[in-house]
Amino acid sequence: MSILNILRYPDPRLHKVAKPVTVFDEKLKQLVADMAETMYDAPGVGLAASQVDVHEQLVVIDVSETNNQLQVFINPEIIWSSEERKVYDEGCLSVPGIYDDVERPSEVKVRALDIEGKPFELYADGLLAVCIQHEMDHLKGKVFVEYLSPLKRNRIKAKLQKEEREMSKKAARR
């Protein structure tokens, strides 16, 4: 297993739309293992393949306190969402250090494939529902900051670009 590089907003590759997974092989299992290791190392509770520059419909999530309940969603689709909406303070591994309120349906039902290609459905509420919706947005090329006002989004973009320049300068000095 290995730690993968997580793309940082505003990297344009984060806006690529992911394609469905069609091959369920050892390469896919390795990608899932690497994504899980990357997510736990970051640390985070969810990671979409798009965030590691693999534009396939694959998401890993673990909202457990003990990091031992990994869930894999391949080609996920939300087949039902509640009318009730809730505001959650969201963050993202591709937008490090930034958290803001995003309103989403409070409950969802998702249909997906597992690592073997077998279909399943799952009802989710609370943090899991938020995480599923957040990660599925990545597969559509959308980052959570796009739910924020243009002013906030531009401030975040400027802040992260400045951090990126400073990190590049430090790396160049080594």
Side-chain angles (χ1 to χ4, degrees):
M1 293 193 298
S2 59
I3 304 292
L4 304 172
N5 182 44
I6 298 172
L7 300 177
R8 287 173 53 114
Y9 180 80
D11 191 310
R13 293 172 289 178
L14 288 167
H15 298 292
K16 276 180 138 175
V17 176
K19 297 192 176 358
V21 172
T22 55
V23 178
F24 294 79
D25 58 5
E26 288 306 312
K27 186 178 171 195
L28 179 67
K29 288 179 180 163
Q30 184 62 53
L31 176 59
V32 167
D34 291 345
M35 285 177 59
E37 185 177 4
T38 302
M39 176 187 71
Y40 291 132
D41 181 69
V45 294
L47 186 66
S50 301
Q51 292 176 269
V52 294
D53 204 20
V54 176
H55 301 283
E56 295 183 6
Q57 294 177 10
L58 167 61
V59 168
V60 295
I61 294 174
D62 188 343
V63 296
S64 72
E65 296 286 325
T66 51
N67 289 344
N68 65 352
Q69 295 174 27
L70 183 69
Q71 295 177 285
V72 178
F73 299 85
I74 299 171
N75 302 339
E77 59 179 315
I78 293 175
I79 55 175
W80 173 84
S81 58
S82 65
E83 286 185 29
E84 180 189 347
R85 299 175 69 78
K86 221 170 179 180
V87 174
Y88 292 91
D89 189 37
E90 292 190 26
C92 180
L93 296 177
S94 291
V95 192
I98 305 295
Y99 297 87
D100 213 317
D101 290 343
V102 176
E103 183 180 290
R104 298 183 184 273
S106 61
E107 303 166 90
V108 295
K109 189 172 187 182
V110 64
R111 178 184 299 140
L113 302 174
D114 68 13
I115 192 80
E116 303 297 331
K118 295 184 185 105
F120 69 93
E121 291 183 5
L122 177 82
Y123 163 83
D125 62 0
L127 180 58
L128 181 57
V130 171
C131 198
I132 288 169
Q133 293 172 82
H134 176 109
E135 299 308 333
M136 286 182 65
D137 276 351
H138 280 297
L139 301 180
K140 298 173 194 153
K142 188 169 185 173
V143 180
F144 93 97
V145 296
E146 292 171 47
Y147 288 100
L148 308 177
S149 71
L151 178 64
K152 277 187 178 178
R153 196 167 46 247
N154 287 334
R155 283 183 179 160
I156 291 166
K157 185 188 271 186
K159 179 181 190 244
L160 293 176
Q161 286 172 326
K162 182 181 177 190
E163 287 175 8
E164 193 74 33
R165 283 191 304 273
E166 289 170 2
M167 287 189 321
S168 294
K169 284 179 189 175
K170 284 180 186 175
R173 283 189 225 129
R174 288 185 198 149

